Each structure stands twice: as structure tokens, then as C-alpha cells.
Amino acid sequence: MAEDAKPRRLYQVWKGSNRFFCGGRLIFGPDVASVLLSILLIAGPAIAFCIRAHSKMEDHSYALPALIGGFILAVMDLIFLFVTSARDPGIVPRNSKPPESDDTFDATTPSMEWVNGRTPHMKLPRTKDVIVNGVPVKVKYCDPCLLFRPPRASHCSICNNCVQRFDHHCPWVGQCIGIRNYRFFFMFISTSTVLCIYVFAFSWIDLLQLKRAKNSIWKAMSNDYLSDFLIIYCFVAVWFVGGLTVFHSYLISTNQTTYENFRYRYDKKENPYNKGVMGNLREVFFSKIPPSMNNFRAFVEVEEEDAVGVVTPNFGEGIMSSNEKIDIEMGMKLTEDGGFTLPEILRNLEYDDSDDDLKNSEEDGGHFDSIFPVEQDMKEPTGTTILGDQVTCSGQKAREPVYSSSALEDDNIATEKKDDMSGSNQTAAP
């Protein structure tokens, strides 16, 4: 069956949350639908502005240049949005097995957590130090990807991938922002800012031109609702995209990512990646973009599906340590050989101590309320013979039957009643 399995492409067995199109050539995040909303928010006002500029071409000489400029900016903005959303942001390939530890860690280090869930038979540190430009930097072990993340990489919980130089996951582009698309993301938000300012400015020019004919700005605004809408829309949008542009300009000049800025605060300690303003600008805009580490169109065997996906811990097949672990919530007991349910555990418990306590209590004259007679432990009986008050088991000496205390009390009461009745009968006889 395995030999006849048809090979499939990597994107078809990829266990991340990404969405693939065009045979794995385009990769989006799981929230790819948000890209359509972003396209609508950009293309809608841009088309309205171009229609408005085209209608004024006969009356105003600036209308044609405004139309051409607005069209170019809108197309560039949409292209940057598409390139940012549809490319691999720098996904780090998963490992099929945990990495082998180069060093032996026998001593317990207070500042170190050990990875036990997926590597029960070996010790791996949760973090380890690597040297970046002479500065020690901690890198973390990623449980889903079974690897130590490269410096500046982080695992995106939305896309379920480790991404190189992870900046953030942008819901407006439906994709992670990493080393391979950060440049295009910045171009997208900066072009959006320029487009908002451009449309805002020419919409005001239209109103001012109409004011000359109406002799009042209020009358001009009441007769040009499209310009009013574009002014308000662009005024609101520019605060959003403009603020992002300014913030990321600061991050680029200091060679930080959004994740690092909020998490590590390099202003309080040395940034090992800072190369100066010009060096940082050169690295972001003029350096070569590294190729993708994944060939999503490559053929893989179906049996290798787990090797490229998320490896989840299997606690039932030799993954547990020698110590038994009980999952209280599931009500299951798991061992190295297999699982046993809790009722079976109760049936397998030893009651030797309980039997000893019971015998000791009987010898002390204690009473146990029971409706069942106490059974004797006969390990190898082959037959039972009852001779009067003697009970004889083949292979064993005869033993007297043992009854519970409540049964003996009932027999005593019945005997006393018989004696009373016989005595009364004798007294009544003449």
C-alpha cells in the first residue's frame, strides 16, 4: 500500500495554517479574506477619485495629471499589498525529529527549563545562547517545529509557523511580516499614506475651485458630496497608515522589529543588530532578499506528511518515561506498554492491608454491619463436603463456617424467641 501511494506536493501536506493558491505558487495566511477587504478600502476611493478627476478634465487643466497620478499610486499600492500577502514571509522548515543535544546537561540550572514533552529520553534546554556580533542572544526551543529558532525568529500562533526576522502578523494583509516581505510591507503602508494625502489634497482643490463659483465653501461642499466623502475618508485613514509609516520608519532606522520593540526594549540594553542609520536602511531596502527555505511545489511521499507538519506528542507509544502519569481530566492511566482505564486500576488494586484490618477487628470483638457472610479465602479447593457443622474442602483441613456478626445476632434473637415461646407454653399447660 505504501509503495503504491501517490506522491503529493509539499503544500498539499503542509500542516501550517497557510492557504495556498495556483498550485502552491501563492501562499497566504489563514485570514486571507481580509485581503479582499483591504483591496476594497483602497480601490473603492481610488476609483471614485479617478472618475471625479475624469469628469473635470474639460474644465480644469490639473484634472488629467491628477487622474494619472492617482491611478499610478493606487496600482502601486495594490501591487505592494499583493506581493506582501502572497509570498513566503520567511518560514523556517519544521524538523521531523528533535535536535540532538551536543552537550550533556546533568545538573539542574535554575535559569533553564527542560524540554520533556517531546524529548522524554534526552535533555534539551528550553533556551540556549548564541553570539550575534559579539553579543550573547538567547534563542528558544520551538515545540511545534522541533527546533531552536534562529535569532530574531518567532513562532506565529495564527499561521502556526516559525518566521525569520518576525515582525508581526498583519490582519490587513492576511500574512506574517518577516524577512522576505517586510520591505514590501513598508512600501505598502507608505504608498497608502501618500495616496491618502494625494486624494485629500486634490479633493480640497476641487472644493476651492467650486467655491469661486458658489462664493461660499459651505455651498460648494453641499454641491460636491463625493469630494466631501473623500476628504473625510482620507483624513481618517491617514492617521492609521501614516502612524504605521512613521513607527516603522523609526524601527528601520534602529534595526528593530515590532516584536522586539514591544518585547525586549533595546533602548534599555544594547541592540546587537544595529548597524547605524545608513547601514540599517541599506539592509532593509538594498540587500538581497534571501530565497525561500521551502519548495512548496516539491513532491513528497504521503508517509512523510508528519515530517513536514506539526508533530504532536504521542503519549501512548513509548513516549512516556518509566514513571506512570495519570491524566486526571481524561480519567485514563498511561504507561509505556499501553493504557488502562481507571475502573481496571481499581480492580487491580491489592486489598491485603484491608483484609488484615478486617481480621484484626474481628479478633478484637468489633462489629461490621454487612448483609453478606464473610467468605473465606480458599485458594486451591477442588470440592466441598458438608458434614454436620463441619465444612471440609478437599486438599484442606475442615474448617468451621464463618458468619458475619449481624447474621449471628439474628440467630441469637431467633433462639431467644423460641425459648420464650416454649416457656410460655409450659406455664399455660394444666
Side-chain angles (χ1 to χ4, degrees):
M1 296 295 294
E3 295 179 356
D4 299 336
K6 183 179 179 181
R8 304 173 67 184
R9 296 187 185 273
L10 178 60
Y11 78 90
Q12 295 175 324
V13 297
W14 188 257
K15 289 300 180 65
S17 303
N18 302 91
R19 302 284 299 275
F20 295 89
F21 297 92
C22 300
R25 295 177 177 87
L26 304 179
I27 174 174
F28 293 86
D31 46 352
V32 61
S34 61
V35 180
L36 301 178
L37 176 60
S38 299
I39 293 175
L40 179 63
L41 294 176
I42 295 171
I47 292 174
F49 173 78
C50 292
I51 293 175
R52 177 64 175 170
H54 184 270
S55 64
K56 291 181 175 293
M57 289 179 58
E58 297 180 356
D59 300 331
H60 304 285
S61 58
Y62 65 86
L64 180 59
L67 173 62
I68 297 174
F71 178 79
I72 293 175
L73 286 174
V75 171
M76 289 177 59
D77 202 16
L78 294 175
I79 291 175
F80 289 135
L81 170 62
F82 179 79
V83 174
T84 303
S85 303
R87 69 185 289 123
D88 178 7
I91 298 174
V92 181
R94 290 174 170 82
N95 285 337
S96 59
K97 298 179 181 179
E100 295 183 359
S101 180
D102 297 333
D103 302 324
T104 302
F105 301 95
D106 294 330
T108 302
T109 305
S111 62
M112 187 176 297
E113 299 178 5
W114 298 103
V115 179
N116 294 322
R118 296 167 187 263
T119 55
H121 303 296
M122 62 186 300
K123 286 186 175 182
L124 288 175
R126 175 64 64 179
T127 62
K128 68 178 184 179
D129 293 334
V130 296
I131 304 301
V132 178
N133 296 327
V135 179
V137 176
K138 289 186 179 295
V139 294
K140 296 182 180 179
Y141 180 82
C142 181
D143 289 313
C145 299
L146 297 176
L147 53 82
F148 283 98
R149 300 167 188 164
R152 312 193 83 176
S154 183
H155 191 88
C156 177
S157 60
I158 299 176
C159 292
N160 195 19
N161 296 310
C162 279
V163 180
Q164 290 180 297
R165 200 184 183 276
F166 177 77
D167 190 88
H168 69 289
H169 182 94
C170 181
W172 297 102
V173 302
Q175 182 64 281
C176 289
I177 307 301
I179 191 172
R180 300 191 69 247
N181 63 350
Y182 182 78
R183 178 184 305 175
F184 304 105
F185 171 75
F186 182 81
M187 297 301 296
F188 163 64
I189 58 176
S190 59
T191 305
S192 299
T193 303
V194 174
L195 180 60
C196 288
I197 296 174
Y198 186 88
V199 174
F200 180 84
F202 276 98
S203 297
W204 267 113
I205 291 175
D206 290 339
L207 286 180
L208 294 177
Q209 292 291 337
L210 189 59
K211 175 189 173 182
R212 296 178 180 178
K214 300 295 182 178
N215 297 324
S216 174
I217 188 64
W218 300 109
K219 291 181 179 180
M221 295 177 65
S222 61
N223 291 323
D224 194 348
Y225 295 108
L226 182 57
S227 296
D228 300 341
F229 168 76
L230 292 176
I231 290 173
I232 297 175
Y233 180 86
C234 293
F235 178 80
V236 174
V238 75
W239 287 103
F240 174 70
V241 294
L244 282 177
T245 302
V246 173
F247 175 67
H248 281 278
S249 298
Y250 162 74
L251 295 180
I252 291 173
S253 63
T254 57
N255 205 331
Q256 299 183 61
T257 64
T258 303
Y259 182 81
E260 293 170 348
N261 181 262
F262 284 95
R263 186 72 178 265
Y264 299 114
R265 289 292 181 182
Y266 283 131
D267 54 351
K268 297 181 180 179
K269 58 182 179 180
E270 183 180 1
N271 182 0
Y273 309 104
N274 193 354
K275 301 177 182 179
V277 176
M278 298 305 299
N280 297 334
L281 293 175
R282 190 182 305 111
E283 177 182 335
V284 173
F285 296 108
F286 302 103
S287 63
K288 183 179 180 180
I289 297 177
S292 175
M293 301 176 67
N294 302 278
N295 184 6
F296 295 106
R297 289 183 52 79
F299 285 100
V300 294
E301 296 295 335
V302 177
E303 289 78 13
E304 298 179 5
E305 181 174 352
D306 292 338
V308 297
V310 178
V311 181
T312 57
N314 185 354
F315 295 103
E317 298 180 2
I319 298 300
M320 300 295 291
S321 60
S322 59
N323 296 328
E324 298 173 345
K325 296 182 179 181
I326 298 178
D327 187 348
I328 301 300
E329 295 181 357
M330 298 299 297
M332 298 294 293
K333 179 183 177 183
L334 304 174
T335 62
E336 291 183 353
D337 298 332
F340 299 93
T341 58
L342 283 178
E344 292 176 344
I345 294 176
L346 297 178
R347 289 197 295 268
N348 293 331
L349 290 177
E350 295 181 358
Y351 294 93
D352 295 337
D353 296 336
S354 300
D355 292 340
D356 295 339
D357 295 340
L358 179 61
K359 292 179 181 179
N360 294 332
S361 300
E362 288 178 350
E363 293 175 358
D364 296 339
H367 297 283
F368 295 90
D369 293 333
S370 174
I371 62 174
F372 301 105
V374 178
E375 298 180 356
Q376 291 294 325
D377 184 14
M378 296 183 295
K379 296 184 179 178
E380 298 178 353
T382 57
T384 304
T385 304
I386 301 176
L387 297 176
D389 294 336
Q390 300 294 324
V391 180
T392 304
C393 297
S394 60
Q396 296 183 359
K397 65 180 181 180
R399 290 180 293 183
E400 294 183 358
V402 180
Y403 300 95
S404 65
S405 59
S406 60
L408 293 175
E409 290 177 358
D410 293 339
D411 292 341
N412 294 333
I413 294 173
T415 303
E416 291 175 359
K417 288 183 178 180
K418 284 185 178 181
D419 295 340
D420 293 341
M421 290 178 65
S422 61
S424 61
N425 291 334
Q426 293 176 0
T427 303

